[in-house]
Amino acid sequence: MNTIILATDGSEYSDAAARYLVESPLLNRDFVVHVVHCEPDVGGDVKSFIGKADIDAWHHEESGKAMKSVVNILREGNVGFECHELVGFTPEKIIEYAKQADASAIVIGSHHHSPLLNAIRGSVSGRILAHSPCPVLLV
Protein backbone atom coordinates (compact mmCIF):
# COMPACT_ATOMS: atom_id res chain seq x y z
CA MET A 1 0.00 0.00 0.00
CA ASN A 2 1.31 3.46 -0.93
CA THR A 3 1.56 6.36 1.48
CA ILE A 4 0.38 9.77 0.34
CA ILE A 5 1.07 12.79 2.52
CA LEU A 6 -1.73 15.38 2.49
CA ALA A 7 -0.41 18.57 4.07
CA THR A 8 -3.19 20.78 5.38
CA ASP A 9 -3.36 24.25 6.83
CA GLY A 10 -7.13 24.17 7.31
CA SER A 11 -7.82 26.28 4.22
CA GLU A 12 -10.20 25.79 1.32
CA TYR A 13 -7.12 24.96 -0.77
CA SER A 14 -6.36 21.99 1.47
CA ASP A 15 -9.99 20.92 1.17
CA ALA A 16 -9.63 21.03 -2.63
CA ALA A 17 -6.58 18.78 -2.39
CA ALA A 18 -8.53 16.29 -0.23
CA ARG A 19 -11.43 16.32 -2.72
CA TYR A 20 -8.92 15.64 -5.50
CA LEU A 21 -7.74 12.50 -3.68
CA VAL A 22 -11.34 11.35 -3.24
CA GLU A 23 -12.59 12.15 -6.76
CA SER A 24 -9.63 11.76 -9.11
CA PRO A 25 -9.99 9.00 -11.70
CA LEU A 26 -6.19 9.12 -12.12
CA LEU A 27 -5.53 7.56 -8.73
CA ASN A 28 -6.09 3.96 -7.76
CA ARG A 29 -7.21 3.24 -4.22
CA ASP A 30 -4.02 1.45 -3.23
CA PHE A 31 -2.99 4.19 -0.82
CA VAL A 32 -3.46 5.47 2.69
CA VAL A 33 -3.41 9.21 3.28
CA HIS A 34 -1.30 10.61 6.08
CA VAL A 35 -2.94 13.93 6.91
CA VAL A 36 -0.29 16.22 8.39
CA HIS A 37 -0.55 19.65 9.92
CA CYS A 38 2.42 21.59 11.22
CA GLU A 39 2.20 24.29 13.85
CA PRO A 40 5.18 26.58 14.37
CA ASP A 41 6.95 26.09 17.66
CA VAL A 42 6.48 28.84 20.21
CA GLY A 43 9.40 31.06 21.17
CA GLY A 44 11.53 30.74 24.25
CA ASP A 45 9.85 33.75 25.85
CA VAL A 46 6.48 32.02 25.70
CA LYS A 47 7.96 28.75 26.99
CA SER A 48 9.28 30.52 30.06
CA PHE A 49 5.75 31.58 31.06
CA ILE A 50 3.59 28.70 29.82
CA GLY A 51 4.15 25.05 30.71
CA LYS A 52 4.92 22.34 28.15
CA ALA A 53 1.59 20.58 28.78
CA ASP A 54 -0.35 23.76 27.95
CA ILE A 55 1.72 24.39 24.81
CA ASP A 56 1.25 20.76 23.70
CA ALA A 57 -2.51 21.04 24.31
CA TRP A 58 -2.63 24.25 22.23
CA HIS A 59 -0.70 22.59 19.36
CA HIS A 60 -3.06 19.61 19.51
CA GLU A 61 -6.14 21.85 19.46
CA GLU A 62 -4.87 23.93 16.53
CA SER A 63 -3.88 20.85 14.52
CA GLY A 64 -7.28 19.28 15.17
CA LYS A 65 -9.02 22.39 13.84
CA ALA A 66 -6.79 22.49 10.75
CA MET A 67 -7.28 18.80 9.93
CA LYS A 68 -11.02 18.60 10.61
CA SER A 69 -12.39 19.48 7.17
CA VAL A 70 -9.98 17.31 5.15
CA VAL A 71 -10.60 14.40 7.53
CA ASN A 72 -14.35 14.79 6.94
CA ILE A 73 -13.82 14.86 3.15
CA LEU A 74 -11.62 11.74 3.23
CA ARG A 75 -14.00 9.91 5.59
CA GLU A 76 -17.03 10.70 3.39
CA GLY A 77 -15.06 9.51 0.34
CA ASN A 78 -14.13 6.22 2.07
CA VAL A 79 -10.41 6.97 1.78
CA GLY A 80 -8.20 5.46 4.48
CA PHE A 81 -6.24 8.01 6.50
CA GLU A 82 -4.17 8.68 9.59
CA CYS A 83 -3.59 12.06 11.26
CA HIS A 84 -0.20 13.37 12.33
CA GLU A 85 0.54 16.56 14.21
CA LEU A 86 3.92 18.18 13.58
CA VAL A 87 5.60 21.13 15.29
CA GLY A 88 8.34 23.27 13.78
CA PHE A 89 9.25 24.83 10.44
CA THR A 90 6.51 23.54 8.14
CA PRO A 91 8.40 22.68 4.91
CA GLU A 92 11.24 21.04 6.83
CA LYS A 93 8.90 18.98 9.03
CA ILE A 94 6.74 17.80 6.10
CA ILE A 95 9.80 16.74 4.11
CA GLU A 96 11.23 14.99 7.15
CA TYR A 97 7.93 13.18 7.71
CA ALA A 98 7.70 12.17 4.03
CA LYS A 99 11.15 10.57 4.25
CA GLN A 100 10.29 8.81 7.50
CA ALA A 101 7.00 7.47 6.09
CA ASP A 102 8.62 6.51 2.75
CA ALA A 103 5.88 8.51 1.02
CA SER A 104 4.96 7.90 -2.61
CA ALA A 105 3.78 11.51 -2.99
CA ILE A 106 3.01 14.74 -1.15
CA VAL A 107 -0.26 16.51 -2.00
CA ILE A 108 -0.68 20.20 -1.17
CA GLY A 109 -3.39 22.75 -1.89
CA SER A 110 -1.75 25.77 -3.51
CA HIS A 111 -2.71 29.28 -2.38
CA HIS A 112 -1.63 30.95 -5.64
CA HIS A 113 0.16 33.90 -4.03
CA SER A 114 1.90 36.39 -6.29
CA PRO A 115 5.53 35.74 -7.23
CA LEU A 116 6.52 38.94 -5.39
CA LEU A 117 4.88 37.80 -2.15
CA ASN A 118 6.46 34.36 -2.49
CA ALA A 119 9.88 35.95 -3.06
CA ILE A 120 9.54 38.11 0.06
CA ARG A 121 7.86 35.65 2.39
CA GLY A 122 8.76 32.33 0.85
CA SER A 123 6.35 29.62 -0.15
CA VAL A 124 5.76 26.45 1.81
CA SER A 125 4.84 24.57 -1.36
CA GLY A 126 7.86 26.00 -3.20
CA ARG A 127 10.22 24.82 -0.48
CA ILE A 128 8.61 21.40 -0.40
CA LEU A 129 8.86 21.15 -4.20
CA ALA A 130 12.54 22.04 -4.05
CA HIS A 131 13.49 19.51 -1.37
CA SER A 132 10.94 16.69 -1.49
CA PRO A 133 12.17 13.10 -1.63
CA CYS A 134 9.10 12.13 -3.68
CA PRO A 135 6.75 13.64 -6.29
CA VAL A 136 4.67 16.62 -5.17
CA LEU A 137 1.17 17.30 -6.48
CA LEU A 138 -0.06 20.88 -6.14
CA VAL A 139 -3.84 21.18 -6.34
Side-chain angles (χ1 to χ4, degrees):
M1 180 154 299
N2 293 308
T3 298
I4 294 178
I5 308 296
L6 173 59
T8 182
D9 59 3
S11 70
E12 63 186 273
Y13 306 102
S14 297
D15 291 353
R19 280 191 293 281
Y20 180 84
L21 290 174
V22 169
E23 299 168 359
S24 177
L26 299 175
L27 299 175
N28 65 33
R29 292 295 176 185
D30 185 29
F31 62 83
V32 63
V33 177
H34 288 224
V35 178
V36 298
H37 173 73
C38 189
E39 278 292 318
D41 202 2
V42 296
D45 293 343
V46 173
K47 288 180 180 180
S48 63
F49 292 104
I50 299 174
K52 182 179 178 348
D54 289 334
I55 292 170
D56 290 346
W58 179 78
H59 281 137
H60 178 70
E61 181 181 340
E62 292 302 306
S63 286
K65 289 178 198 174
M67 290 189 277
K68 183 178 181 180
S69 60
V70 297
V71 162
N72 289 338
I73 291 166
L74 295 172
R75 185 175 288 129
E76 289 170 13
N78 293 316
V79 173
F81 67 90
E82 309 175 356
C83 293
H84 302 276
E85 301 170 4
L86 309 174
V87 176
F89 183 57
T90 300
E92 182 180 284
K93 290 298 181 177
I94 290 172
I95 290 165
E96 199 175 280
Y97 185 81
K99 288 176 183 174
Q100 174 190 354
D102 193 26
S104 300
I106 299 172
V107 179
I108 307 170
S110 177
H111 286 255
H112 306 293
H113 294 300
S114 74
L116 176 62
L117 183 58
N118 282 341
I120 294 169
R121 192 182 66 169
S123 160
V124 170
S125 58
R127 287 185 172 130
I128 291 172
L129 275 167
H131 302 286
S132 177
C134 57
V136 177
L137 174 63
L138 295 177
V139 178

